[in-house]
Amino acid sequence: MAHQAPAKAGPGSPGDSGGQESGGRPPGPAPRPRAADRALRQRAASVIPGGMYGHQSAGPLPPEYPQFMRNGRGARVWDADGNGYVDLMCSYGPVVLGHQHPKVEAAARAQAELGDCQNGPGPVMVELAELLVATVRHADWAMLAKNGTDATTMCCTIARAQTGRNRILVARGAYHGAAPWCTPRPAGVTAADRANLGHYEFNDLDSARSAAGEAGDDLAAVLVSPFRHDAGYDQELVDPAFARGLRELCDATGAALILDDVRCGFRLHLGSSWEPVGVDPDLSAWSKAIANGHPLAAVLGGDRFRDGAASVFVTGSFWFSAVPMAAAIATITALGEEGALEAMERAGTALRDGIVAQAAAWGLEVNYTGPVQMPYLTFAGDRDHALGSLFAAEAVRRGAYIHPRHNWFVSAAMTAEDIDLVLAATDQAFAAVRERLGG
Ligand SMILES: Cc1ncc(COP(=O)(O)O)c(C=O)c1O
């Protein structure tokens, strides 16, 4: 298993002296005074709109969730009050090898000593582009940016520039970022921002064909995620025939097939997430895991879209910072060298088997969906997420950091001890759900 926290001396492990490295408590049902978090929330309320915003806002979550986190190491994180958790959200995806992976952080520090934000990118930009092209089958070139939204937006812009067409098809309910063309919240968005979008249903080829028919000769691209991971819904793996059908549709119409690998990229496969399915996109969007938590995004593409990619003006003040690029090279190298993909699959399988067995033992009907490395749990018939929220709150209270309405992320740093701690917490969380339902 890659980068395991030392079994005896690691933070939060038995025998840990109260967490010298972490300065916090080990995960578990410890008393959790939340004085620091409460004070920070109060101060934030007057200087940050809404007190917090975006996907990491704890506002919509049960009160058991801390808002502010202090540090992380391996598969453990600590909140501002020093409470420890086994981390099953991995910063909502960026952390794949575990927090503070030694080789990634050493590479980042070495680059930081040379320089980060300069008048031009470092040599690491070319090294990273070469590594990405060598690692991802459909990639003949790479462009780098900061966030997943940069990457999905760039893919659409490149597809339009190359094809001279306007319309982009997206799956209904899919998340591709927070820009006006794709944000799930309508505030501040104009009809013009969405004017060139068409919709299809994930895994429904007929609906994609019909949306393509409506777009006619204005179809620039079909955008799709590797599997259906819409927040709050049971996840759905891709039907390979659907993936192949989208490829054929794009080949027949000249549109670009864009794979949004922002959430799944380098978690399921060391290459595009559709390589095991046997379907290569023309363009792909990446971010989250590619630099193990350092801010970086990438667009990868094939030669057919190289001219379009070269023609668009896309940039940002921090897009060419060298530190995240050095971190990405170390991350991708470690993913391969340390067997991290296999480690995540093993840990995810142990977690799934344990949780599904617990649910059955408590007589609870659950849906545990998605790849084991990115699972999501719902309770049958729990449309308003009341049981899911209770379950998550009880798990968090006992030191297993999961989410009630978003898929979880398993990192390669999870040890057998981490899995045991999670299962101890989820068993008690199921007990609370059983009690709520009676019996
Ligand atoms: C599938 C997918 N695409 C795009 C994005 C947007 O990425 P970012 O939040 O880095 O802009 C996300 C973020 O969660 C995502 O999951």
Side-chain angles (χ1 to χ4, degrees), residues 55 92 94 146-152 174-179 182 225-226 229 260-264 285-288 296-297 406-407 409:
H55 66 294
Y92 289 73
K146 273 299 94 161
N147 288 290
T149 310
D150 300 335
T152 53
Y175 185 68
H176 296 296
C182 56
S225 53
H229 47 43
D260 180 353
D261 230 334
V262 168
R263 197 178 307 184
C264 310
W286 302 70
S287 187
K288 294 207 184 272
L296 195 71
H406 193 290
N407 72 269
F409 297 89

Side-chain angles (χ1 to χ4, degrees), residues 2 17 36 53 55 59 117 126 129 139 149 159 188 223 253 274 278-279 294 307 311 321 325 338 355 358 377 385 412:
S17 59
Y53 49 88
H55 66 294
C117 188
V126 182
T149 310
L223 176 56
T253 56
W274 272 9
V279 173
H294 290 266
D307 290 344
S311 73
S321 294
M325 296 180 192
E338 299 181 7
I355 288 179
Q358 287 174 340
L377 177 136
H385 297 282

Side-chain angles (χ1 to χ4, degrees), residues 11-13 25-28 32 65 69 71-79 83-91 99 347 351 392 395-403 408-411 413-426:
S13 59
R25 283 179 283 283
R32 288 166 191 267
Y65 280 81
M69 306 301 294
N71 60 318
R73 178 145 312 214
R76 308 276 175 97
V77 288
W78 287 266
D79 67 21
N83 299 310
Y85 307 84
V86 178
D87 186 11
L88 277 169
M89 286 309 289
C90 293
S91 320
H99 295 267
L351 207 60
V396 160
R397 209 154 70 76
R398 292 174 167 80
Y401 197 106
I402 60 170
H403 199 289
W408 314 339
F409 297 89
V410 172
S411 80
M414 282 208 101
T415 62
E417 187 194 344
D418 293 323
I419 293 167
D420 288 347
L421 277 162
V422 170
L423 292 177
T426 53

Side-chain angles (χ1 to χ4, degrees), residues 95-114:
V95 172
V96 66
L97 293 164
H99 295 267
Q100 300 291 320
H101 185 276
K103 288 186 181 158
V104 175
E105 295 315 305
R109 270 194 306 276
Q111 181 60 53
E113 278 178 20
L114 290 171

Side-chain angles (χ1 to χ4, degrees), residues 31-81:
R32 288 166 191 267
R34 281 275 168 66
D37 197 72
R38 217 173 16 249
L40 284 164
R41 287 190 200 223
Q42 273 164 9
R43 286 164 56 197
S46 57
V47 291
I48 296 172
M52 177 56 186
Y53 49 88
H55 66 294
Q56 294 196 345
S57 173
L61 292 171
E64 285 78 0
Y65 280 81
Q67 175 63 82
F68 295 96
M69 306 301 294
R70 193 179 59 196
N71 60 318
R73 178 145 312 214
R76 308 276 175 97
V77 288
W78 287 266
D79 67 21
D81 286 279

